[in-house]
């Protein structure tokens, strides 16, 4: 089974802090994604990566950055957390030969006070 | 732009009731269509998919048919169980390969 793990299930940070959300997948997938999930808005794509050291902006990249130094790990960075970044963050991975199926991690619920 | 619209929740049903969750889409070309499910405390899992018009996706008693004429992909199940309680997301993959999600519909099944 494909496994996508995220470093924390729940996280509480203060405004202005730098926040790292880590995601690791164990199936050698090329493609990795970060979404945020908000009630009534579904999932919105923040950033994605097609390969190591490659990154592309999604629909809502403002206030976020990403890092992909190794194929299995994709990090989401909030340089200076703000209260409007309180949300559920979901990581996903996908094999480049299986465009239809993304595998999701369990999510990190981030609260910014 | 491409988009997905689902019926609003929450939907509350009694066990063994019939379920329909409506989903319509707007997209150019011929997108692939998906239903994902998110059980409490977990990430999203692919429930079923259909890649061309008139295809029917099915899994775990759930079904959805790709209707191009009505741009719809409604999710149905004949007899729901308490264990089906979850949030259901309709999604499409557009010509550019991007996955676009609806807002999600929460289903609560009571014994």
């Amino acid at each position: 089974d494909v496994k996508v793990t995220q470093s924390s299930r729940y996280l509480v940070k203060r405004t202005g802090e730098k926040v790292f959300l880590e995601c690791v997948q164990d199936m050698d997938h090329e493609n990795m994604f970060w979404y945020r999930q908000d009630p009534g808005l579904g999932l919105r794509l923040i950033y994605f990566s097609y390969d190591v050291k490659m990154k592309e902006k999604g629909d809502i990249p403002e206030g976020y950055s990403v890092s992909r130094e190794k194929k299995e790990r994709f990090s989401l960075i909030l340089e200076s957390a703000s209260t409007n970044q309180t949300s559920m963050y979901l990581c996903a991975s996908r094999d480049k030969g299986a465009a239809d199926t993304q595998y999701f991690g369990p999510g990190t619920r981030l609260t910014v006070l | 732009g491409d988009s997905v619209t689902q019926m609003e929740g929450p939907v509350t049903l009694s066990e063994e009731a019939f379920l329909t969750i409506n989903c319509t889409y707007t997209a150019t070309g011929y997108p692939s269509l998906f239903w994902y499910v998110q059980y409490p405390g977990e990430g999203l899992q692919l429930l079923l998919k259909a890649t061309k018009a008139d295809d029917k996706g099915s899994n775990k008693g759930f079904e959805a048919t790709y209707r191009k004429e009505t741009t719809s992909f409604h999710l149905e199940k004949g007899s729901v169980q308490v264990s089906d309680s979850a949030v259901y997301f309709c999604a499409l993959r557009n010509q550019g390969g991007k996955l676009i999600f609806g807002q999600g519909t929460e289903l609560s099944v009571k014994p």
Side-chain angles (χ1 to χ4, degrees):
Chain A
D1 275 356
V2 175
K3 193 167 185 183
V4 180
T5 57
Q6 296 184 227
S7 50
S8 305
R9 295 299 298 270
Y10 299 93
L11 208 53
V12 179
K13 296 292 181 181
R14 297 206 174 273
T15 301
E17 280 192 77
K18 189 169 186 175
V19 182
F20 293 87
L21 303 182
E22 306 286 345
C23 174
V24 177
Q25 50 93 5
D26 66 357
M27 284 302 291
D28 203 36
H29 285 171
E30 281 81 8
N31 303 332
M32 296 188 75
F33 307 83
W34 275 106
Y35 296 88
R36 63 178 282 176
Q37 179 183 1
D38 299 289
L41 297 177
L43 276 69
R44 293 179 292 167
L45 182 63
I46 304 171
Y47 266 97
F48 59 101
S49 169
Y50 285 141
D51 204 345
V52 176
K53 297 192 185 296
M54 293 182 66
K55 58 186 178 183
E56 298 283 344
K57 292 180 179 179
D59 297 319
I60 52 165
E62 297 78 18
Y64 303 95
S65 62
V66 290
S67 172
R68 191 149 181 220
E69 296 296 317
K70 293 184 178 181
K71 192 174 186 180
E72 68 270 19
R73 187 180 297 270
F74 191 36
S75 303
L76 180 69
I77 303 157
L78 287 65
E79 294 289 342
S80 177
S82 63
T83 54
N84 63 13
Q85 293 178 309
T86 292
S87 186
M88 171 71 87
Y89 290 88
L90 293 170
C91 175
S93 74
R94 185 184 76 193
D95 183 67
K96 71 175 180 180
D100 287 348
T101 304
Q102 289 190 11
Y103 296 89
F104 285 82
T108 296
R109 185 166 292 284
L110 172 67
T111 301
V112 182
L113 301 176
Chain B
D2 300 337
S3 66
V4 176
T5 302
Q6 299 179 226
M7 63 187 286
E8 286 192 24
V11 174
T12 303
L13 295 173
S14 298
E15 208 165 21
E16 299 184 3
F18 185 86
L19 168 71
T20 301
I21 300 178
N22 291 336
C23 171
T24 57
Y25 68 90
T26 301
T28 54
Y30 300 92
S32 294
L33 301 174
F34 308 86
W35 277 100
Y36 280 83
V37 58
Q38 185 180 33
Y39 297 105
E42 298 183 14
L44 275 69
Q45 303 172 25
L46 180 65
L47 180 60
L48 53 84
K49 67 179 182 181
T51 57
K52 61 183 188 296
D54 300 324
D55 266 3
K56 177 185 283 188
S58 61
N59 186 25
K60 299 181 180 180
F62 291 89
E63 293 183 339
T65 301
Y66 189 144
R67 301 284 188 204
K68 188 154 181 67
E69 64 276 11
T70 54
T71 61
S72 65
F73 193 55
H74 304 322
L75 183 69
E76 297 181 335
K77 186 174 185 183
S79 176
V80 292
Q81 306 300 312
V82 172
S83 57
D84 294 326
S85 298
V87 181
Y88 292 82
F89 291 91
C90 186
L92 67 83
R93 181 170 63 85
N94 66 11
Q95 289 181 313
K98 183 177 176 181
L99 204 57
I100 296 169
F101 290 87
Q103 71 269 38
T105 301
E106 182 180 356
L107 170 66
S108 177
V109 181
K110 306 297 185 187

Coordinates of all heavy atoms in Angstrom, one line a residue, chain A residues 9 35 37-38 40-43 45 50 59 88 90 94 99-107, chain B residues 32 34 36 38 41-46 49 51 87 89 93 96-99 101-104:
Chain A
R9 N -0.3 15.7 13.3 CA -1.8 15.7 13.0 C -2.4 17.1 13.4 O -3.3 17.5 12.8 CB -2.4 14.6 13.8 CG -2.0 13.2 13.3 CD -2.4 13.0 11.8 NE -3.8 13.1 11.6 CZ -4.6 12.0 11.7 NH1 -4.2 10.8 12.0 NH2 -5.9 12.2 11.4
Y35 N -2.2 20.8 -0.5 CA -3.5 21.4 -0.6 C -3.9 22.0 0.8 O -3.4 21.5 1.8 CB -4.6 20.4 -0.9 CG -4.5 19.8 -2.3 CD1 -3.8 18.6 -2.5 CD2 -5.3 20.3 -3.3 CE1 -3.8 18.0 -3.7 CE2 -5.2 19.7 -4.6 CZ -4.5 18.5 -4.7 OH -4.4 17.9 -6.0
Q37 N -7.5 22.6 3.0 CA -9.0 22.2 3.0 C -9.7 23.1 4.0 O -9.4 23.1 5.2 CB -9.1 20.7 3.4 CG -10.6 20.3 3.4 CD -10.7 18.8 3.9 OE1 -9.7 18.2 4.2 NE2 -11.9 18.3 3.9
D38 N -10.7 23.8 3.5 CA -11.5 24.7 4.3 C -13.0 24.4 4.1 O -13.4 24.2 3.0 CB -11.2 26.2 4.0 CG -9.7 26.5 4.2 OD1 -9.3 26.6 5.4 OD2 -8.9 26.7 3.3
G40 N -16.6 24.4 3.1 CA -17.3 25.1 2.0 C -16.5 25.5 0.8 O -17.0 26.0 -0.2
L41 N -15.1 25.2 0.9 CA -14.3 25.6 -0.2 C -13.6 24.4 -0.8 O -12.9 24.5 -1.9 CB -13.2 26.6 0.2 CG -13.7 27.9 0.7 CD1 -12.5 28.8 1.2 CD2 -14.4 28.7 -0.4
G42 N -13.8 23.2 -0.3 CA -13.1 22.0 -0.8 C -11.6 22.1 -0.6 O -11.1 22.7 0.3
L43 N -10.9 21.4 -1.5 CA -9.4 21.5 -1.5 C -8.9 22.5 -2.5 O -9.4 22.5 -3.7 CB -8.9 20.1 -1.9 CG -8.8 19.1 -0.7 CD1 -10.1 18.6 -0.3 CD2 -7.9 17.9 -1.2
L45 N -5.3 23.9 -4.3 CA -3.9 23.6 -4.5 C -3.0 24.7 -4.1 O -3.2 25.8 -4.7 CB -3.7 23.1 -5.9 CG -2.3 22.6 -6.3 CD1 -1.9 21.4 -5.5 CD2 -2.3 22.4 -7.8
Y50 N 7.0 18.3 -9.6 CA 7.0 17.1 -10.5 C 8.3 16.3 -10.4 O 8.5 15.3 -11.0 CB 6.9 17.6 -12.0 CG 5.5 18.0 -12.3 CD1 5.2 19.1 -13.2 CD2 4.4 17.2 -11.9 CE1 3.9 19.4 -13.5 CE2 3.1 17.6 -12.2 CZ 2.9 18.6 -13.1 OH 1.6 19.0 -13.4
D59 N -3.0 27.3 -7.0 CA -4.0 28.3 -7.1 C -3.8 29.4 -6.0 O -4.2 30.5 -6.2 CB -5.4 27.7 -7.0 CG -5.7 26.8 -8.2 OD1 -5.3 27.1 -9.3 OD2 -6.2 25.7 -8.0
M88 N -6.8 23.0 7.5 CA -6.3 21.6 7.4 C -5.4 21.6 6.1 O -5.9 22.0 5.1 CB -7.5 20.7 7.2 CG -7.1 19.3 6.9 SD -6.3 18.4 8.2 CE -7.7 17.8 9.1
L90 N -3.3 19.2 3.5 CA -3.2 17.8 3.0 C -2.1 17.7 2.0 O -2.0 18.5 1.1 CB -4.6 17.4 2.4 CG -5.8 17.3 3.3 CD1 -7.0 17.1 2.5 CD2 -5.6 16.1 4.2
R94 N 1.6 11.2 -6.3 CA 1.1 10.5 -7.5 C 2.2 10.1 -8.4 O 3.2 10.8 -8.6 CB 0.2 11.5 -8.3 CG -0.6 10.9 -9.5 CD -1.3 12.0 -10.2 NE -0.5 12.9 -11.0 CZ -0.9 14.0 -11.5 NH1 -2.1 14.5 -11.3 NH2 0.0 14.7 -12.3
A99 N -1.9 9.1 -13.8 CA -2.3 10.5 -13.6 C -3.6 10.5 -12.9 O -4.0 11.6 -12.4 CB -2.5 11.1 -15.0
D100 N -4.4 9.5 -12.8 CA -5.7 9.5 -12.2 C -5.8 9.5 -10.7 O -6.7 9.9 -10.1 CB -6.6 8.4 -12.8 CG -7.0 8.7 -14.2 OD1 -6.8 9.9 -14.7 OD2 -7.5 7.8 -14.9
T101 N -4.8 8.9 -10.1 CA -4.9 8.6 -8.7 C -3.9 9.3 -7.9 O -2.7 9.1 -8.0 CB -4.8 7.1 -8.5 OG1 -5.7 6.4 -9.3 CG2 -5.0 6.7 -7.0
Q102 N -4.4 10.2 -7.0 CA -3.5 10.8 -6.0 C -3.7 10.1 -4.7 O -4.9 9.8 -4.3 CB -3.8 12.3 -5.8 CG -3.4 13.1 -7.0 CD -3.5 14.6 -6.8 OE1 -3.7 15.0 -5.7 NE2 -3.3 15.4 -7.8
Y103 N -2.7 9.9 -3.9 CA -2.7 9.3 -2.6 C -2.5 10.4 -1.6 O -1.5 11.1 -1.6 CB -1.7 8.2 -2.5 CG -1.9 7.1 -3.4 CD1 -1.4 7.1 -4.7 CD2 -2.7 6.0 -3.0 CE1 -1.6 6.0 -5.5 CE2 -2.9 4.9 -3.9 CZ -2.4 4.9 -5.1 OH -2.6 3.9 -6.0
F104 N -3.4 10.5 -0.6 CA -3.4 11.6 0.4 C -2.8 11.1 1.7 O -3.1 10.0 2.2 CB -4.8 12.2 0.6 CG -5.2 13.0 -0.6 CD1 -5.8 12.5 -1.7 CD2 -5.1 14.4 -0.5 CE1 -6.2 13.2 -2.8 CE2 -5.5 15.2 -1.6 CZ -6.0 14.6 -2.7
G105 N -2.2 12.0 2.4 CA -1.8 11.8 3.8 C -3.0 12.2 4.7 O -4.1 12.6 4.2
P106 N -2.9 11.9 6.0 CA -4.0 12.1 6.9 C -4.3 13.6 7.2 O -5.4 13.9 7.8 CB -3.5 11.4 8.2 CG -2.1 11.5 8.1 CD -1.7 11.4 6.7
G107 N -3.4 14.5 6.9 CA -3.7 15.9 7.1 C -3.0 16.4 8.4 O -2.8 15.7 9.3
Chain B
S32 N -11.6 13.6 -16.9 CA -11.9 12.4 -16.1 C -12.6 12.9 -14.8 O -12.3 14.0 -14.3 CB -10.6 11.7 -15.7 OG -10.0 11.2 -16.9
F34 N -14.1 11.9 -10.7 CA -13.7 11.1 -9.6 C -14.7 11.4 -8.4 O -15.2 12.6 -8.3 CB -12.3 11.5 -9.1 CG -11.3 11.4 -10.2 CD1 -11.0 12.5 -11.0 CD2 -10.5 10.2 -10.3 CE1 -10.0 12.4 -12.0 CE2 -9.6 10.1 -11.3 CZ -9.3 11.2 -12.1
Y36 N -14.0 11.1 -4.3 CA -13.1 10.8 -3.2 C -13.9 10.8 -1.9 O -14.9 11.6 -1.8 CB -12.0 11.9 -3.0 CG -10.8 11.7 -4.0 CD1 -10.9 12.2 -5.3 CD2 -9.6 11.0 -3.6 CE1 -9.8 12.0 -6.2 CE2 -8.6 10.9 -4.5 CZ -8.7 11.4 -5.7 OH -7.6 11.2 -6.6
Q38 N -13.5 11.0 2.5 CA -12.7 11.3 3.6 C -13.4 10.9 4.9 O -14.3 11.6 5.3 CB -12.4 12.8 3.7 CG -11.4 13.2 4.8 CD -11.1 14.7 4.8 OE1 -12.0 15.5 4.4 NE2 -9.9 15.1 5.1
G41 N -11.0 12.0 10.6 CA -9.6 11.9 11.0 C -8.6 11.4 10.0 O -7.4 11.1 10.3
E42 N -9.1 11.2 8.8 CA -8.2 10.6 7.8 C -8.1 11.5 6.5 O -8.8 12.5 6.4 CB -8.7 9.2 7.3 CG -8.8 8.2 8.5 CD -9.3 6.9 8.0 OE1 -9.3 6.6 6.7 OE2 -9.6 6.0 8.8
G43 N -7.1 11.1 5.7 CA -7.0 11.8 4.4 C -8.0 11.4 3.4 O -8.8 10.5 3.7
L44 N -7.9 11.9 2.2 CA -8.9 11.5 1.1 C -8.5 10.2 0.5 O -7.3 9.9 0.3 CB -8.9 12.6 0.0 CG -9.9 13.7 0.3 CD1 -9.4 14.6 1.4 CD2 -10.0 14.5 -1.0
Q45 N -9.5 9.4 0.1 CA -9.2 8.1 -0.6 C -10.0 8.2 -1.9 O -11.2 8.6 -1.8 CB -9.6 6.9 0.2 CG -9.0 6.8 1.6 CD -9.7 5.7 2.4 OE1 -10.2 4.7 1.8 NE2 -9.6 5.8 3.7
L46 N -9.5 7.6 -2.9 CA -10.3 7.5 -4.2 C -11.3 6.5 -4.0 O -11.1 5.3 -3.6 CB -9.3 7.1 -5.3 CG -10.0 7.0 -6.7 CD1 -10.6 8.3 -7.1 CD2 -9.0 6.4 -7.7
K49 N -14.0 6.2 -10.1 CA -13.7 7.2 -11.2 C -14.3 6.7 -12.5 O -14.8 5.6 -12.7 CB -12.2 7.3 -11.4 CG -11.5 6.0 -11.9 CD -10.0 6.2 -12.1 CE -9.4 5.0 -12.6 NZ -7.9 5.1 -12.8
T51 N -13.7 7.7 -16.8 CA -12.8 8.5 -17.7 C -13.4 8.9 -19.0 O -12.8 9.7 -19.7 CB -11.5 7.7 -18.0 OG1 -11.9 6.5 -18.6 CG2 -10.7 7.5 -16.7
V87 N -17.0 12.6 4.6 CA -17.2 13.7 3.6 C -16.8 13.2 2.2 O -15.8 12.6 2.1 CB -16.3 14.9 4.0 CG1 -16.5 16.1 3.0 CG2 -16.6 15.4 5.4
F89 N -16.1 14.0 -1.8 CA -15.7 15.1 -2.7 C -15.8 14.6 -4.2 O -15.2 13.5 -4.5 CB -14.2 15.5 -2.5 CG -14.0 16.2 -1.1 CD1 -13.7 15.4 0.0 CD2 -14.0 17.5 -1.1 CE1 -13.4 16.1 1.2 CE2 -13.8 18.2 0.1 CZ -13.5 17.5 1.3
R93 N -10.4 15.8 -13.4 CA -9.0 16.1 -13.9 C -9.1 16.7 -15.3 O -9.6 16.0 -16.2 CB -8.2 14.8 -13.9 CG -6.7 15.1 -14.4 CD -5.9 13.8 -14.2 NE -6.3 12.7 -15.0 CZ -6.0 12.5 -16.2 NH1 -5.2 13.3 -16.8 NH2 -6.4 11.4 -16.9
G96 N -5.3 19.9 -18.7 CA -4.0 20.2 -18.2 C -3.4 19.3 -17.2 O -2.3 19.4 -16.7
G97 N -4.2 18.3 -16.7 CA -3.8 17.4 -15.7 C -4.1 17.8 -14.3 O -3.7 17.1 -13.4
K98 N -4.7 18.9 -14.1 CA -5.0 19.4 -12.8 C -6.2 18.8 -12.2 O -7.2 18.6 -12.9 CB -5.1 20.9 -12.9 CG -5.3 21.6 -11.5 CD -5.4 23.1 -11.7 CE -5.7 23.8 -10.4 NZ -5.8 25.3 -10.6
L99 N -6.1 18.5 -10.9 CA -7.3 17.9 -10.2 C -8.0 19.1 -9.5 O -7.5 19.8 -8.7 CB -6.8 16.9 -9.2 CG -7.7 15.8 -8.7 CD1 -8.2 15.0 -9.8 CD2 -7.0 14.9 -7.7
F101 N -11.4 20.1 -7.2 CA -12.3 19.5 -6.3 C -13.6 20.4 -6.1 O -13.5 21.6 -6.2 CB -11.7 19.3 -4.9 CG -10.6 18.2 -4.9 CD1 -9.3 18.5 -5.2 CD2 -11.0 16.9 -4.5 CE1 -8.3 17.5 -5.2 CE2 -10.0 15.9 -4.5 CZ -8.7 16.2 -4.8
G102 N -14.7 19.7 -5.8 CA -15.9 20.4 -5.3 C -15.7 20.7 -3.8 O -14.6 20.3 -3.2
Q103 N -16.7 21.3 -3.2 CA -16.5 21.8 -1.9 C -16.7 20.7 -0.8 O -16.5 20.9 0.4 CB -17.5 23.0 -1.6 CG -19.0 22.6 -1.5 CD -19.7 22.6 -2.8 OE1 -19.1 22.3 -3.9 NE2 -20.9 23.1 -2.8
G104 N -17.2 19.5 -1.2 CA -17.4 18.4 -0.3 C -18.8 18.4 0.2 O -19.4 19.5 0.4

